[in-house]
């Protein structure tokens, strides 16, 4: 059972989710940059105001920020100050990391619940941007999607590290029993 779950990250669904996130990140970053370039050219070269460019940038930047955050969680490259290896070693470090994983999951789960609540609240409002009339829900939904993905990744890694800690614990107990029998 452990092996099946531990190989979950090699599944097709996991890879598709990763590719979708990567694609969204590239698109959002590229479009945001392109909007800024176009705005500068229109404003300073053509001497025309590009009204509403900030609404477009906000839309793509919101998605970039939250999908980027969830992608960093997926890659385990989110901002952290992991000083545990400096103070702990071996089994104590492994168990402490499991505890940290579950604390991270609890925090991201609360944020995901708040994000979904915010999305549901935003659905009941029909607010649009001023110039382009883009529903604010489009950019606000990025928050919900990003936090749900972060909670999902935190859950997967928490389960993974817990299963590995259990497996290593069993392995250590079996090795100790073997050593006791040999004496």
């Amino acid at each position: 059972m452990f092996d099946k779950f531990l190989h979950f990250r090699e599944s097709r669904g996991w890879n598709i989710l990763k590719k979708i996130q990567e694609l969204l990140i590239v698109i959002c970053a590229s479009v945001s940059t392109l909007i800024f370039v176009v705005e500068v050219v229109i404003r300073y070269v053509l001497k025309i105001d590009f009204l509403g460019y900030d609404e477009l940038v906000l839309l793509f930047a919101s998605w970039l920020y939250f999908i980027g955050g969830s992608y960093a969680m997926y890659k385990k490259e989110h901002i952290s100050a992991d000083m545990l290896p400096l103070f702990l070693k071996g089994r104590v470090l492994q168990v402490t990391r499991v505890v940290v994983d579950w604390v991270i999951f609890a925090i991201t789960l609360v944020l995901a619940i708040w994000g979904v609540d915010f999305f549901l609240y935003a659905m009941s409002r029909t607010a649009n941007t001023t110039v382009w009339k883009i529903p604010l829900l489009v950019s606000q939904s990025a928050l919900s999607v990003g936090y749900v993905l972060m909670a999902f990744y935190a859950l997967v890694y928490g389960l993974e590290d817990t299963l590995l800690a259990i497996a290593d614990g069993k392995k250590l107990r079996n090795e100790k029993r073997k050593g006791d029998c040999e004496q």
Side-chain angles (χ1 to χ4, degrees), residues 115-129:
V116 170
D117 283 346
F118 177 66
F119 178 77
L120 295 174
Y121 170 79
M123 281 181 52
S124 69
R125 307 286 183 246
T126 55
N128 296 324
T129 60

Side-chain angles (χ1 to χ4, degrees), residues 35 40 82 85 111-112 145 173:
I35 291 170
V40 167
D82 190 6
L111 292 172
V145 172
R173 280 194 298 275

Side-chain angles (χ1 to χ4, degrees), residues 74-120:
Y74 152 74
K75 299 279 280 182
K76 293 186 176 185
E77 293 176 355
H78 51 285
I79 298 172
S80 67
D82 190 6
M83 296 179 9
L84 292 176
L86 297 175
F87 302 107
L88 305 173
K89 300 287 182 229
R91 187 89 175 124
V92 175
L93 175 61
Q94 188 178 34
V95 170
T96 305
R97 283 210 167 127
V98 168
V99 171
V100 169
D101 284 344
W102 289 109
V103 169
I104 290 171
F105 172 68
I107 292 167
T108 57
L109 181 62
V110 168
L111 292 172
I113 291 169
W114 287 349
V116 170
D117 283 346
F118 177 66
F119 178 77
L120 295 174

